[in-house]
């Protein structure tokens, strides 16, 4: 019998570990953009939903009151028709600005109102838009929604 027992292999070689790290790096590089696009898409969908809620609230207000909310008081006029505080758009350079600026353009083509106005509202036609000319993931301007 041989005095030397067969050595059993324990652990991985350096080459095997490097290959695993490279493969994981490639997978991370492919997956990261997918997660980024998903979060952008989720923000955009939430903003579209918020815009829809505001537009519906404006129409319900008009039905009950006989006219569109006034530009200067839209936030308080719609308080009974939306839950919680007046929302911010959630997208664009004024994503967290919940203020409403007045406009007479329909639709507006440029940012208007004060710097804390996340929305633009035309009281004569009851339309509200996101106050930002930035673009979404499909290259549409936020104002065009």
């Amino acid at each position: 019998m041989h005095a030397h027992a067969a050595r059993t292999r324990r652990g991985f070689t350096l080459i095997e570990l490097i290959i695993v790290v490279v493969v994981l790096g490639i997978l991370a590089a492919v997956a990261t953009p997918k997660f980024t696009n998903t979060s952008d898409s989720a923000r955009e969908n939430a903003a579209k939903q918020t815009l829809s809620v505001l537009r519906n609230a404006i129409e319900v207000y008009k039905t009950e009151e006989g006219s569109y909310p006034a530009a200067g008081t839209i936030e308080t006029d719609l308080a009974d028709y939306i839950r919680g505080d007046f929302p911010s758009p959630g997208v664009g350079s004024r994503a967290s600005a919940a203020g409403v600026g007045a406009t007479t353009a329909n639709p507006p083509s440029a940012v208007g109102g004060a710097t804390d106005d996340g929305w633009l509202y035309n009281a004569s036609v009851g339309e509200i838009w996101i106050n930002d000319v930035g673009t979404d993931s499909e290259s549409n301007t936020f104002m065009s929604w």
Side-chain angles (χ1 to χ4, degrees):
M1 246 173 131
H2 292 114
H4 299 284
R7 279 200 199 178
T8 58
R9 185 172 169 190
R10 296 177 189 222
F12 298 101
T13 66
L14 181 59
I15 298 296
E16 291 170 329
L17 291 174
I18 289 173
I19 290 172
V20 169
V21 169
V22 168
V23 169
L24 289 175
I26 291 170
L27 289 174
V30 170
T32 300
K34 299 286 185 199
F35 288 120
T36 303
N37 291 343
T38 301
S39 64
D40 289 345
S41 177
R43 269 192 295 281
E44 291 169 7
N45 287 333
K48 287 178 181 178
Q49 182 64 34
T50 300
L51 189 56
S52 178
V53 167
L54 290 176
R55 287 177 173 161
N56 287 337
I58 290 167
E59 289 304 317
V60 171
Y61 180 92
K62 182 184 184 229
T63 301
E64 291 183 2
E65 302 296 328
S67 63
Y68 291 116
T73 59
I74 185 171
E75 291 119 312
T76 54
D77 289 345
L78 295 183
D80 291 338
Y81 303 95
I82 57 176
R83 292 185 184 166
D85 296 331
F86 202 85
S88 60
V91 294
S93 61
R94 300 177 182 200
S96 59
V100 180
T103 185
T104 56
N106 186 24
S109 59
V111 174
T115 57
D116 61 345
D117 291 338
W119 305 100
L120 279 179
Y121 174 65
N122 184 330
S124 63
V125 294
E127 276 291 331
I128 192 164
W129 300 272
I130 294 175
N131 190 15
D132 195 294
V133 292
T135 57
D136 63 15
S137 59
E138 296 176 355
S139 299
N140 300 312
T141 62
F142 296 127
M143 276 188 177
S144 69
W145 291 354

PDB file of all heavy atoms in Angstrom, residues 1 4-5 12 17-19 22 37 39 43 53-55 65 81 85 92 99 112 124 126 129 140 142:
ATOM      1  N   MET A   1       0.828  -1.179   0.000  1.00  0.00           N
ATOM      2  CA  MET A   1       0.000   0.000   0.000  1.00  0.00           C
ATOM      3  C   MET A   1       0.865   1.233   0.000  1.00  0.00           C
ATOM      4  O   MET A   1       1.921   1.224   0.621  1.00  0.00           O
ATOM      5  CB  MET A   1      -0.828   0.014   1.264  1.00  0.00           C
ATOM      6  CG  MET A   1      -2.255  -0.142   0.899  1.00  0.00           C
ATOM      7  SD  MET A   1      -3.190  -0.332   2.306  1.00  0.00           S
ATOM      8  CE  MET A   1      -4.408   0.692   2.183  1.00  0.00           C
ATOM      9  N   HIS A   4       1.240   7.401   0.661  1.00  0.00           N
ATOM     10  CA  HIS A   4       0.604   8.680   0.329  1.00  0.00           C
ATOM     11  C   HIS A   4      -0.841   8.454  -0.087  1.00  0.00           C
ATOM     12  O   HIS A   4      -1.112   7.774  -1.060  1.00  0.00           O
ATOM     13  CB  HIS A   4       1.328   9.362  -0.828  1.00  0.00           C
ATOM     14  CG  HIS A   4       2.755   9.675  -0.508  1.00  0.00           C
ATOM     15  ND1 HIS A   4       3.102  10.713   0.300  1.00  0.00           N
ATOM     16  CD2 HIS A   4       3.914   9.069  -0.881  1.00  0.00           C
ATOM     17  CE1 HIS A   4       4.423  10.747   0.409  1.00  0.00           C
ATOM     18  NE2 HIS A   4       4.934   9.748  -0.297  1.00  0.00           N
ATOM     19  N   ALA A   5      -1.731   8.993   0.644  1.00  0.00           N
ATOM     20  CA  ALA A   5      -3.147   8.887   0.287  1.00  0.00           C
ATOM     21  C   ALA A   5      -3.430   9.881  -0.837  1.00  0.00           C
ATOM     22  O   ALA A   5      -2.802  10.917  -0.948  1.00  0.00           O
ATOM     23  CB  ALA A   5      -4.026   9.189   1.490  1.00  0.00           C
ATOM     24  N   PHE A  12     -11.627  26.127  -4.705  1.00  0.00           N
ATOM     25  CA  PHE A  12     -11.554  26.459  -6.119  1.00  0.00           C
ATOM     26  C   PHE A  12     -10.205  27.083  -6.430  1.00  0.00           C
ATOM     27  O   PHE A  12      -9.589  27.721  -5.586  1.00  0.00           O
ATOM     28  CB  PHE A  12     -12.660  27.459  -6.490  1.00  0.00           C
ATOM     29  CG  PHE A  12     -14.042  26.918  -6.270  1.00  0.00           C
ATOM     30  CD1 PHE A  12     -14.778  27.276  -5.151  1.00  0.00           C
ATOM     31  CD2 PHE A  12     -14.616  26.046  -7.186  1.00  0.00           C
ATOM     32  CE1 PHE A  12     -16.041  26.790  -4.953  1.00  0.00           C
ATOM     33  CE2 PHE A  12     -15.882  25.546  -6.997  1.00  0.00           C
ATOM     34  CZ  PHE A  12     -16.599  25.919  -5.865  1.00  0.00           C
ATOM     35  N   LEU A  17     -12.307  31.118  -9.782  1.00  0.00           N
ATOM     36  CA  LEU A  17     -12.920  32.252  -9.093  1.00  0.00           C
ATOM     37  C   LEU A  17     -12.977  33.483  -9.986  1.00  0.00           C
ATOM     38  O   LEU A  17     -13.971  34.206 -10.002  1.00  0.00           O
ATOM     39  CB  LEU A  17     -12.161  32.559  -7.803  1.00  0.00           C
ATOM     40  CG  LEU A  17     -12.302  31.511  -6.698  1.00  0.00           C
ATOM     41  CD1 LEU A  17     -11.396  31.863  -5.526  1.00  0.00           C
ATOM     42  CD2 LEU A  17     -13.731  31.408  -6.245  1.00  0.00           C
ATOM     43  N   ILE A  18     -11.926  33.737 -10.747  1.00  0.00           N
ATOM     44  CA  ILE A  18     -11.913  34.886 -11.655  1.00  0.00           C
ATOM     45  C   ILE A  18     -12.998  34.732 -12.714  1.00  0.00           C
ATOM     46  O   ILE A  18     -13.704  35.686 -13.040  1.00  0.00           O
ATOM     47  CB  ILE A  18     -10.510  35.058 -12.295  1.00  0.00           C
ATOM     48  CG1 ILE A  18      -9.527  35.546 -11.224  1.00  0.00           C
ATOM     49  CG2 ILE A  18     -10.560  36.031 -13.469  1.00  0.00           C
ATOM     50  CD1 ILE A  18      -8.087  35.598 -11.685  1.00  0.00           C
ATOM     51  N   ILE A  19     -13.163  33.547 -13.248  1.00  0.00           N
ATOM     52  CA  ILE A  19     -14.199  33.301 -14.262  1.00  0.00           C
ATOM     53  C   ILE A  19     -15.584  33.575 -13.684  1.00  0.00           C
ATOM     54  O   ILE A  19     -16.425  34.213 -14.322  1.00  0.00           O
ATOM     55  CB  ILE A  19     -14.084  31.864 -14.819  1.00  0.00           C
ATOM     56  CG1 ILE A  19     -12.817  31.746 -15.669  1.00  0.00           C
ATOM     57  CG2 ILE A  19     -15.321  31.493 -15.625  1.00  0.00           C
ATOM     58  CD1 ILE A  19     -12.482  30.344 -16.108  1.00  0.00           C
ATOM     59  N   VAL A  22     -16.080  37.358 -13.372  1.00  0.00           N
ATOM     60  CA  VAL A  22     -16.303  37.961 -14.695  1.00  0.00           C
ATOM     61  C   VAL A  22     -17.725  37.689 -15.174  1.00  0.00           C
ATOM     62  O   VAL A  22     -18.411  38.586 -15.671  1.00  0.00           O
ATOM     63  CB  VAL A  22     -15.254  37.450 -15.714  1.00  0.00           C
ATOM     64  CG1 VAL A  22     -15.635  37.818 -17.134  1.00  0.00           C
ATOM     65  CG2 VAL A  22     -13.883  37.996 -15.373  1.00  0.00           C
ATOM     66  N   ASN A  37     -34.513  51.316 -16.418  1.00  0.00           N
ATOM     67  CA  ASN A  37     -35.651  51.593 -17.293  1.00  0.00           C
ATOM     68  C   ASN A  37     -36.965  51.274 -16.610  1.00  0.00           C
ATOM     69  O   ASN A  37     -37.956  51.968 -16.811  1.00  0.00           O
ATOM     70  CB  ASN A  37     -35.526  50.805 -18.595  1.00  0.00           C
ATOM     71  CG  ASN A  37     -34.393  51.308 -19.464  1.00  0.00           C
ATOM     72  OD1 ASN A  37     -33.901  52.406 -19.283  1.00  0.00           O
ATOM     73  ND2 ASN A  37     -33.970  50.483 -20.407  1.00  0.00           N
ATOM     74  N   SER A  39     -37.650  51.504 -13.368  1.00  0.00           N
ATOM     75  CA  SER A  39     -37.986  52.538 -12.389  1.00  0.00           C
ATOM     76  C   SER A  39     -38.423  53.824 -13.082  1.00  0.00           C
ATOM     77  O   SER A  39     -39.344  54.497 -12.623  1.00  0.00           O
ATOM     78  CB  SER A  39     -36.827  52.795 -11.431  1.00  0.00           C
ATOM     79  OG  SER A  39     -35.716  53.309 -12.121  1.00  0.00           O
ATOM     80  N   ARG A  43     -42.156  55.592 -12.641  1.00  0.00           N
ATOM     81  CA  ARG A  43     -42.379  57.011 -12.322  1.00  0.00           C
ATOM     82  C   ARG A  43     -43.281  57.674 -13.366  1.00  0.00           C
ATOM     83  O   ARG A  43     -44.174  58.443 -13.034  1.00  0.00           O
ATOM     84  CB  ARG A  43     -41.042  57.753 -12.237  1.00  0.00           C
ATOM     85  CG  ARG A  43     -40.452  57.786 -10.850  1.00  0.00           C
ATOM     86  CD  ARG A  43     -39.291  58.763 -10.755  1.00  0.00           C
ATOM     87  NE  ARG A  43     -38.147  58.368 -11.573  1.00  0.00           N
ATOM     88  CZ  ARG A  43     -37.264  57.450 -11.225  1.00  0.00           C
ATOM     89  NH1 ARG A  43     -37.383  56.829 -10.072  1.00  0.00           N
ATOM     90  NH2 ARG A  43     -36.248  57.146 -12.017  1.00  0.00           N
ATOM     91  N   VAL A  53     -56.069  61.552 -12.609  1.00  0.00           N
ATOM     92  CA  VAL A  53     -56.883  61.830 -11.420  1.00  0.00           C
ATOM     93  C   VAL A  53     -57.231  63.314 -11.353  1.00  0.00           C
ATOM     94  O   VAL A  53     -58.379  63.689 -11.076  1.00  0.00           O
ATOM     95  CB  VAL A  53     -56.148  61.366 -10.137  1.00  0.00           C
ATOM     96  CG1 VAL A  53     -56.798  61.925  -8.888  1.00  0.00           C
ATOM     97  CG2 VAL A  53     -56.093  59.848 -10.081  1.00  0.00           C
ATOM     98  N   LEU A  54     -56.247  64.182 -11.606  1.00  0.00           N
ATOM     99  CA  LEU A  54     -56.502  65.623 -11.571  1.00  0.00           C
ATOM    100  C   LEU A  54     -57.499  66.031 -12.651  1.00  0.00           C
ATOM    101  O   LEU A  54     -58.413  66.826 -12.397  1.00  0.00           O
ATOM    102  CB  LEU A  54     -55.201  66.406 -11.725  1.00  0.00           C
ATOM    103  CG  LEU A  54     -54.246  66.353 -10.540  1.00  0.00           C
ATOM    104  CD1 LEU A  54     -52.950  67.079 -10.860  1.00  0.00           C
ATOM    105  CD2 LEU A  54     -54.898  66.928  -9.293  1.00  0.00           C
ATOM    106  N   ARG A  55     -57.339  65.496 -13.848  1.00  0.00           N
ATOM    107  CA  ARG A  55     -58.262  65.830 -14.936  1.00  0.00           C
ATOM    108  C   ARG A  55     -59.682  65.356 -14.618  1.00  0.00           C
ATOM    109  O   ARG A  55     -60.656  66.065 -14.895  1.00  0.00           O
ATOM    110  CB  ARG A  55     -57.762  65.242 -16.253  1.00  0.00           C
ATOM    111  CG  ARG A  55     -56.546  65.999 -16.778  1.00  0.00           C
ATOM    112  CD  ARG A  55     -55.970  65.400 -18.036  1.00  0.00           C
ATOM    113  NE  ARG A  55     -54.915  66.261 -18.576  1.00  0.00           N
ATOM    114  CZ  ARG A  55     -54.002  65.854 -19.431  1.00  0.00           C
ATOM    115  NH1 ARG A  55     -53.990  64.599 -19.861  1.00  0.00           N
ATOM    116  NH2 ARG A  55     -53.082  66.694 -19.866  1.00  0.00           N
ATOM    117  N   GLU A  65     -70.236  72.151  -9.920  1.00  0.00           N
ATOM    118  CA  GLU A  65     -70.228  73.593  -9.655  1.00  0.00           C
ATOM    119  C   GLU A  65     -70.652  74.442 -10.850  1.00  0.00           C
ATOM    120  O   GLU A  65     -70.897  75.633 -10.706  1.00  0.00           O
ATOM    121  CB  GLU A  65     -68.835  74.040  -9.183  1.00  0.00           C
ATOM    122  CG  GLU A  65     -68.338  73.328  -7.945  1.00  0.00           C
ATOM    123  CD  GLU A  65     -69.173  73.604  -6.713  1.00  0.00           C
ATOM    124  OE1 GLU A  65     -69.723  74.716  -6.588  1.00  0.00           O
ATOM    125  OE2 GLU A  65     -69.286  72.690  -5.882  1.00  0.00           O
ATOM    126  N   TYR A  81     -62.116  66.478  -3.945  1.00  0.00           N
ATOM    127  CA  TYR A  81     -62.171  65.516  -5.039  1.00  0.00           C
ATOM    128  C   TYR A  81     -60.916  64.651  -5.162  1.00  0.00           C
ATOM    129  O   TYR A  81     -60.891  63.724  -5.959  1.00  0.00           O
ATOM    130  CB  TYR A  81     -62.411  66.255  -6.361  1.00  0.00           C
ATOM    131  CG  TYR A  81     -63.664  67.084  -6.325  1.00  0.00           C
ATOM    132  CD1 TYR A  81     -63.620  68.433  -5.992  1.00  0.00           C
ATOM    133  CD2 TYR A  81     -64.902  66.510  -6.583  1.00  0.00           C
ATOM    134  CE1 TYR A  81     -64.771  69.193  -5.937  1.00  0.00           C
ATOM    135  CE2 TYR A  81     -66.062  67.272  -6.532  1.00  0.00           C
ATOM    136  CZ  TYR A  81     -65.989  68.615  -6.210  1.00  0.00           C
ATOM    137  OH  TYR A  81     -67.136  69.357  -6.146  1.00  0.00           O
ATOM    138  N   ASP A  85     -52.975  65.665   0.166  1.00  0.00           N
ATOM    139  CA  ASP A  85     -52.493  66.943  -0.341  1.00  0.00           C
ATOM    140  C   ASP A  85     -52.508  66.956  -1.863  1.00  0.00           C
ATOM    141  O   ASP A  85     -52.494  65.915  -2.512  1.00  0.00           O
ATOM    142  CB  ASP A  85     -51.071  67.206   0.155  1.00  0.00           C
ATOM    143  CG  ASP A  85     -51.009  67.351   1.670  1.00  0.00           C
ATOM    144  OD1 ASP A  85     -52.003  67.792   2.260  1.00  0.00           O
ATOM    145  OD2 ASP A  85     -49.955  67.013   2.243  1.00  0.00           O
ATOM    146  N   GLY A  92     -39.717  64.940 -14.266  1.00  0.00           N
ATOM    147  CA  GLY A  92     -39.205  66.196 -14.790  1.00  0.00           C
ATOM    148  C   GLY A  92     -38.420  66.993 -13.770  1.00  0.00           C
ATOM    149  O   GLY A  92     -38.162  66.548 -12.652  1.00  0.00           O
ATOM    150  N   GLY A  99     -47.189  73.019  -6.786  1.00  0.00           N
ATOM    151  CA  GLY A  99     -47.911  74.237  -7.131  1.00  0.00           C
ATOM    152  C   GLY A  99     -48.514  74.172  -8.528  1.00  0.00           C
ATOM    153  O   GLY A  99     -48.120  73.373  -9.367  1.00  0.00           O
ATOM    154  N   GLY A 112     -44.053  77.444 -17.672  1.00  0.00           N
ATOM    155  CA  GLY A 112     -44.584  78.705 -17.184  1.00  0.00           C
ATOM    156  C   GLY A 112     -44.771  78.676 -15.687  1.00  0.00           C
ATOM    157  O   GLY A 112     -44.459  77.689 -15.023  1.00  0.00           O
ATOM    158  N   SER A 124     -59.892  78.405 -18.455  1.00  0.00           N
ATOM    159  CA  SER A 124     -60.958  78.624 -19.432  1.00  0.00           C
ATOM    160  C   SER A 124     -61.392  77.333 -20.125  1.00  0.00           C
ATOM    161  O   SER A 124     -62.540  77.215 -20.555  1.00  0.00           O
ATOM    162  CB  SER A 124     -60.542  79.672 -20.469  1.00  0.00           C
ATOM    163  OG  SER A 124     -59.429  79.214 -21.198  1.00  0.00           O
ATOM    164  N   GLY A 126     -60.287  74.159 -18.652  1.00  0.00           N
ATOM    165  CA  GLY A 126     -60.206  73.120 -17.627  1.00  0.00           C
ATOM    166  C   GLY A 126     -59.124  72.076 -17.871  1.00  0.00           C
ATOM    167  O   GLY A 126     -59.245  70.949 -17.427  1.00  0.00           O
ATOM    168  N   TRP A 129     -51.644  70.356 -17.230  1.00  0.00           N
ATOM    169  CA  TRP A 129     -50.500  69.681 -17.814  1.00  0.00           C
ATOM    170  C   TRP A 129     -49.349  69.670 -16.814  1.00  0.00           C
ATOM    171  O   TRP A 129     -49.289  70.509 -15.917  1.00  0.00           O
ATOM    172  CB  TRP A 129     -49.998  70.411 -19.069  1.00  0.00           C
ATOM    173  CG  TRP A 129     -50.989  70.540 -20.162  1.00  0.00           C
ATOM    174  CD1 TRP A 129     -51.228  69.644 -21.168  1.00  0.00           C
ATOM    175  CD2 TRP A 129     -51.880  71.624 -20.385  1.00  0.00           C
ATOM    176  NE1 TRP A 129     -52.211  70.122 -21.996  1.00  0.00           N
ATOM    177  CE2 TRP A 129     -52.636  71.343 -21.538  1.00  0.00           C
ATOM    178  CE3 TRP A 129     -52.126  72.831 -19.717  1.00  0.00           C
ATOM    179  CZ2 TRP A 129     -53.596  72.201 -22.040  1.00  0.00           C
ATOM    180  CZ3 TRP A 129     -53.089  73.689 -20.214  1.00  0.00           C
ATOM    181  CH2 TRP A 129     -53.816  73.364 -21.366  1.00  0.00           C
ATOM    182  N   ASN A 140     -41.456  61.558 -25.723  1.00  0.00           N
ATOM    183  CA  ASN A 140     -42.588  62.488 -25.719  1.00  0.00           C
ATOM    184  C   ASN A 140     -42.387  63.495 -24.605  1.00  0.00           C
ATOM    185  O   ASN A 140     -41.924  63.133 -23.529  1.00  0.00           O
ATOM    186  CB  ASN A 140     -43.910  61.729 -25.469  1.00  0.00           C
ATOM    187  CG  ASN A 140     -44.172  60.690 -26.523  1.00  0.00           C
ATOM    188  OD1 ASN A 140     -44.070  60.957 -27.705  1.00  0.00           O
ATOM    189  ND2 ASN A 140     -44.505  59.489 -26.093  1.00  0.00           N
ATOM    190  N   PHE A 142     -43.277  65.789 -21.451  1.00  0.00           N
ATOM    191  CA  PHE A 142     -44.234  65.610 -20.356  1.00  0.00           C
ATOM    192  C   PHE A 142     -45.473  66.469 -20.586  1.00  0.00           C
ATOM    193  O   PHE A 142     -46.578  66.086 -20.232  1.00  0.00           O
ATOM    194  CB  PHE A 142     -43.584  65.951 -19.012  1.00  0.00           C
ATOM    195  CG  PHE A 142     -42.440  65.039 -18.650  1.00  0.00           C
ATOM    196  CD1 PHE A 142     -41.208  65.554 -18.313  1.00  0.00           C
ATOM    197  CD2 PHE A 142     -42.601  63.676 -18.640  1.00  0.00           C
ATOM    198  CE1 PHE A 142     -40.149  64.727 -17.978  1.00  0.00           C
ATOM    199  CE2 PHE A 142     -41.559  62.827 -18.307  1.00  0.00           C
ATOM    200  CZ  PHE A 142     -40.317  63.348 -17.979  1.00  0.00           C
TER     201      PHE A 142
END
